[in-house]
Amino acid sequence: MSDTGLQAVFFANRDRLLRFLAAHGAGDAAEDILQELWIKISTSAPGPVAQPLSYLYRAANNLMLDRYRSARQATKRDADWSEAETDGAGRAQDPVGERPLIAREHLRIVQQELDGLGERVAFAFRRHRIDGAPQKLIARELGVSLSTVEADLRKAYRALIAVRRRLDEA
Amino acid sequence: MVIKQDQHEIEDQALAWVVNLRDADFADWEAFEAWLGASPAHAEVYHRLALKDQDLDDVLSALVPAPALQAERRANHRWKWPAIGAAAAILLVGVVSVRLSVAAPEHYQIATRAGERRALTLAGGTNILLNGGSTVTLDRKNPRFAELKQGEALFTVTHDAKNPFAVQVGRDQLLDVGTRFDVVRTKSEMRVAVAEGAVIYNPASQKLMLGQGDLLRVAAGGTVAIRSRVAPDQIGAWREGRFVYSGETLARVAEDLSRYAGARVDVSPDLAGQPFRGVISIADPSRLEDLGPLFRARVQRRGDGWLILRR
């Protein structure tokens, strides 16, 4: 699939992508975001894409998440403009000197949380979130059903997202 | 349609979408859209959880990959190669693999059987697409190193000038100065083709800089390297079952097909040296006989594999 192929798929599925953005709550901005998506795919050649429609959906999803992140950051800045600096992605940045120390501490907390979930859950999470292995493969590796892996992963993601939230609020 | 939902239930569903969307082969976008659109609260909760999930990257980047103890092969089902996106958020799908223990504890091997493909993501964002019948050694302590023991791998490297990514291939070393390159190691030779950016071949000795579209072939055990040109967008086309040739021998074509299709492909000796030009697109690796006319030859089943012979 060439880049022009991706662009053709974009045009053929313009309405579907608009509906998807609307479902995300894009509202009046949906057309603008679609335009942004178009510029993205026509300026940065992503290389061969095997599932072009899925690729476009994912890119649209990421754009919505980026927007949501910026909006949240803006709200947060308005609420407390003197708070910590943020990097380009809008993630909180700690003063340089403290970063390694904080990172090590965070890693320790995350590791502890993972270990506490049990070996199978921790294994499934690492395979999925860090190695990028799909759930079907993890199910085969563990010799358990897909729904067990799904439940394990929900449990692990929920626990780690909660950890992240605690760390952010600390 | 549910009018009023308990917040906990929405969170549960949103979490399931966050998890499922992380599968590189996720394709159920319409169901996701229907769920998102069912209530503004759905999108709200999904966005919140998905961002928190993204934020986990910072703390997870320092974690080592899953321990090898349980990652044994349990089935031989073949996976369809999924969409590979450039976006960093897109992780890659894996195929069945066998992890072997090697001498150094920090080193571990990942191998694919013929016809299997596997994508690996290393810390720092480097992706390795391992073709069938290939083995790569990785270092838990050093995510900027890989050794291709055999077979073929497509490397997409996040460049870091201070800490370049090194690929060892036999006695040769490749140092990335850019992003995407394909490496093949067979018994007879090593080939590297640069799709994007640049690579330095043997930085300690020859220091040969390969740019976009350069193809370097080095005979095994030899010191002679041959550089030629290849269309950059054709490099790594094997991940889509596409192979592009401009005069390579049928023996070489058969070698690529064997790796990809998961079955041994041989060429009768009288055809082995015949040059082939053209593009092969494999939709169904179990129907290689369809390729016969393309080779102006016959491709017939022989045992578990295939034989290319004169018509």
Side-chain angles (χ1 to χ4, degrees), chain B residues 107-310:
Chain B
H107 282 170
Y108 61 106
Q109 278 192 0
I110 295 183
T112 52
R113 296 188 312 166
E116 297 171 346
R117 274 161 292 285
R118 174 154 194 209
L120 313 164
T121 304
L122 304 185
T126 294
N127 288 320
I128 305 175
L129 273 62
L130 210 54
N131 201 347
S134 305
T135 307
V136 71
T137 300
L138 300 171
D139 187 344
R140 282 182 215 284
K141 292 224 175 88
N142 177 12
R144 303 294 286 174
F145 171 82
E147 180 179 10
L148 184 66
K149 305 287 268 189
Q150 62 165 358
E152 179 165 22
L154 181 67
F155 293 87
T156 304
V157 175
T158 312
H159 184 55
D160 177 356
K162 288 198 205 97
N163 190 12
F165 193 91
V167 180
Q168 190 73 37
V169 190
R171 285 182 305 179
D172 294 322
Q173 202 180 47
L174 302 164
L175 202 65
D176 102 279
V177 190
T179 45
R180 200 152 53 90
F181 56 99
D182 192 86
V183 185
V184 180
R185 187 185 189 197
T186 66
K187 286 197 190 76
S188 57
E189 66 173 354
M190 186 280 282
R191 292 193 297 272
V192 54
V194 181
E196 272 174 50
V199 167
I200 299 173
Y201 169 70
N202 284 346
S205 46
Q206 284 97 333
K207 292 190 189 63
L208 188 57
M209 170 82 90
L210 304 172
Q212 188 182 43
D214 276 338
L215 167 69
L216 188 77
R217 296 176 53 181
V218 186
T223 49
V224 181
I226 302 165
R227 178 151 63 168
S228 58
R229 299 284 300 166
V230 57
D233 57 342
Q234 309 298 7
I235 296 166
W238 54 263
R239 64 186 173 182
E240 301 164 83
R242 204 157 48 83
F243 301 86
V244 185
Y245 300 101
S246 49
E248 283 85 347
T249 61
L250 277 183
R252 157 73 197 284
V253 174
E255 175 198 310
D256 288 345
L257 292 178
S258 303
R259 199 181 295 123
Y260 186 82
R264 192 186 161 120
V265 181
D266 288 313
V267 196
S268 67
D270 56 327
L271 283 181
Q274 184 170 302
F276 174 70
R277 279 173 198 282
V279 178
I280 299 175
S281 185
I282 301 176
D284 181 357
S286 67
R287 289 188 52 84
L288 293 187
E289 67 265 29
D290 295 350
L291 297 173
L294 204 59
F295 299 146
R296 295 202 188 86
R298 204 145 49 85
V299 180
Q300 72 175 37
R301 273 212 169 271
R302 199 187 54 175
D304 290 339
W306 301 88
L307 179 65
I308 305 175
L309 70 173
R310 255 185 222 293

Side-chain angles (χ1 to χ4, degrees), chain A residues 98-159:
Chain A
E98 292 174 27
R99 288 196 75 184
L101 208 70
I102 291 171
R104 265 205 301 283
E105 176 62 8
H106 285 186
L107 179 64
R108 194 188 59 78
I109 294 170
V110 165
Q111 204 119 37
Q112 204 169 35
E113 185 74 30
L114 257 184
D115 293 343
L117 293 169
E119 200 184 359
R120 192 186 69 203
V121 176
F123 174 83
F125 180 78
R126 282 161 181 262
R127 286 290 286 147
H128 192 253
R129 187 60 174 75
I130 299 168
D131 301 348
Q135 297 175 57
K136 281 183 217 159
L137 174 65
I138 299 167
R140 279 209 306 274
E141 286 175 350
L142 286 170
V144 299
S145 70
L146 185 58
S147 57
T148 302
V149 170
E150 282 168 355
D152 281 356
L153 287 176
R154 276 203 301 279
K155 187 172 164 192
Y157 276 76
R158 182 183 295 114

Side-chain angles (χ1 to χ4, degrees), chain A residues 1 16 19-20 23-24 48 50-51 54-55 57-58 61-62 65 68-69 72 91 106-107 110-111 114 119 123 125-132 134-137 140-143 153-154 157-158 160-161 164-165 168, chain B residues 12 15 19-23 26 29-30 32-33 36 44 46-57 59-60 62-67 69-70 74-75 79-80 83 85 90-94 96 99 118 239-240:
Chain A
M1 178 70 55
R16 286 172 80 160
R19 278 201 306 276
F20 181 67
H24 256 291
Q51 309 281 353
S54 205
Y55 177 91
Y57 267 120
R58 196 177 283 282
N61 201 62
N62 288 341
L65 290 179
Y68 194 75
R69 183 184 290 282
R72 272 179 77 103
R91 287 162 202 193
H106 285 186
L107 179 64
V110 165
Q111 204 119 37
L114 257 184
E119 200 184 359
F123 174 83
F125 180 78
R126 282 161 181 262
R127 286 290 286 147
H128 192 253
R129 187 60 174 75
I130 299 168
D131 301 348
Q135 297 175 57
K136 281 183 217 159
L137 174 65
R140 279 209 306 274
E141 286 175 350
L142 286 170
L153 287 176
R154 276 203 301 279
Y157 276 76
R158 182 183 295 114
L160 287 172
I161 285 172
R164 182 72 255 185
R165 194 173 288 150
D168 288 346
Chain B
D12 246 22
L15 201 61
V19 173
N20 289 339
L21 259 75
R22 276 214 170 264
D23 271 18
F26 176 80
W29 295 99
E30 284 180 351
F32 178 49
E33 177 186 321
L36 276 179
E44 212 276 328
Y46 167 76
H47 289 151
R48 193 158 44 75
L49 291 179
L51 289 189
K52 279 285 168 232
D53 172 50
Q54 285 183 354
D55 289 346
L56 283 174
D57 286 348
V59 275
L60 294 179
L63 280 180
V64 293
L69 67 153
Q70 298 201 62
R74 296 214 189 233
W79 283 74
K80 209 176 151 220
I90 301 178
L91 290 181
L92 303 168
V93 82
V96 174
R99 285 165 187 238
R118 174 154 194 209
R239 64 186 173 182
E240 301 164 83

